[in-house]
Each structure stands twice: as structure tokens, then as C-alpha cells.
Amino acid sequence: MARRTKADAQATRASLLDAAERLFQARGVARTSLGDIAAEAGATRGAIYWHFKDKGDLFNAMMERVTLPLEQSVTQGELDSAADPVAVIRDGILKALAKIEGDEQVWRVLQIATHRVEVTPDLSAEQQRRLAMHAQSLARIRSGLARAYALRAAAPPVPLTAAALGLQVLVEGLLNQWLLSPGTFALVTTARSTLTVYLRGLQLIPLSTPDETR
């Protein structure tokens, strides 16, 4: 029997993750077994357990294989040093959404994580990670908005936490709707217009951005 090489093992792992993506998207995570994934990949159940300790471990590996754009759209350092934090937030969101709209693997994994997964004990770690990322993102947005109002010597028309949460919900709501049936509307174009409307309501239109809703 030929000895398996590291490259062989990596290829098997990749094929298992590819198979998991396809089946999770088609059936949902709960209705897909490790045996189903092994069969789809043309591998054995032993191969599954060589690479992953359980379905939660495999799911986490699938998520880690892609960079989730919205989780990394804006850094705290960028907001702290920007001449206009609102423009940084807006441009970072639009860039992240463009990455999602244009990369099938990214939106497929996000579609699975958003619409094809049920929270079960073996996926609780991923749920906790997502909650932590949401909290960090909300804190960054709030910080950026606070600095933007300070630079404009203006008071926010609503509490900062509410303003930041509203912006986060707006973006995630648009994305979740688009992920229900990707391509049914232009994600970035729609986000650009709705962000302009929302930021105008907060009296925080980016200084260098034209009014794109006219």
C-alpha cells in the first residue's frame, strides 16, 4: 500500500470540507451526518475522524477556511486615526459586502452559518464566537460614531449605542435577506443607498460622499 503523504492528507481534508459545504447548503447542518460528508467526498468515516473530532470541529474548520469580511471590515486603529471615521465605517462595510457578493465560497459559507444551521451543543463554540464578534463590532462602530460627533462638535440625535446598533442591524439585515436568495438584488448598490439614508438621519453623512439617494 502506498504511503500517504502530507499533501494527500491535505487534499483529503479539503475535499471533506468542500463536501460539507455542499451538503450543509443543500440539507442544513443538522440533517447532514459525518457519514454523508464522507460519502460525498468519496472518503471513509475513518478519514473524517482522522481530521475532525466531531461535526462541530468540522463546521468550525469550514468557517475558518474563509475570511468573514464583516468581522474584519474596520479596525479600531483605523477609526482612531481617521480624519472622518464615518467614511471609514461606511467604506469598510461596502468593501466587505462587495467581497461577499463577488466570492461564491464566502457567501455560501455565510448562507450556511445564517440560514442552514441550528444551534446544538456541538456548535455552541461557534455561536459564542459569533456573539463575541458581534459585540466587538458594535463597540467599534459606537466608538467611531462617538469620535465622528466629537470631530463635528455635534451631539448625536439618539443615544450612541442605539445609533451603532441600528447601523449594525441595517447591514446584517440586508445581508441576511440577500443570502436567502443571492443575486435577487444588488447587495452593494442597495447597501450604499440605505447607508446614506441612515447616516443622513444621524446627521453624519461622510464629508467626502455625495448624496447617492437623489
Side-chain angles (χ1 to χ4, degrees), residues 35-177:
D36 294 333
I37 294 169
E40 175 73 10
T44 65
R45 286 181 63 87
I48 284 267
Y49 289 109
W50 175 265
H51 292 282
F52 310 104
K53 65 181 182 180
D54 53 29
K55 187 160 65 173
D57 188 36
L58 185 151
F59 183 89
N60 291 338
M62 181 196 71
M63 295 295 296
E64 291 170 359
R65 200 164 59 148
V66 302
T67 299
L68 301 182
L70 280 179
E71 293 184 356
Q72 303 179 15
S73 59
V74 179
T75 69
Q76 190 63 53
E78 289 174 317
L79 292 173
D80 291 342
S81 61
D84 187 3
V86 177
V88 172
I89 292 172
R90 176 186 179 278
D91 293 348
I93 289 170
L94 293 176
K95 183 178 179 181
L97 293 179
K99 172 66 174 174
I100 294 167
E101 190 171 23
D103 189 322
E104 182 177 352
Q105 185 182 32
V106 172
W107 67 249
R108 183 169 59 241
V109 169
L110 285 174
Q111 186 182 62
I112 292 166
T114 305
H115 298 299
R116 303 285 194 271
V117 65
E118 302 81 7
V119 178
T120 56
D122 57 347
L123 296 179
S124 60
E126 171 61 18
Q127 177 72 359
Q128 292 303 312
R129 187 194 68 80
R130 292 185 68 189
L131 289 173
M133 294 302 297
H134 275 242
Q136 292 171 19
S137 174
L138 182 63
R140 284 196 301 270
I141 293 171
R142 188 187 186 285
S143 172
L145 294 181
R147 186 163 179 271
Y149 282 114
L151 290 171
R152 288 163 171 77
V158 296
L160 280 171
T161 298
L165 181 60
L167 181 57
Q168 186 179 57
V169 170
L170 169 65
V171 174
E172 292 184 352
L174 278 173
L175 177 58
N176 287 346
Q177 182 67 30

Side-chain angles (χ1 to χ4, degrees), residues 7-36:
D8 291 334
Q10 290 174 337
T12 298
R13 186 177 190 275
S15 69
L16 290 168
L17 291 173
D18 290 341
E21 279 187 22
R22 292 192 297 271
L23 293 180
F24 287 163
Q25 184 183 34
R27 304 179 184 178
V29 176
R31 291 187 175 92
T32 301
S33 70
L34 292 178
D36 294 333

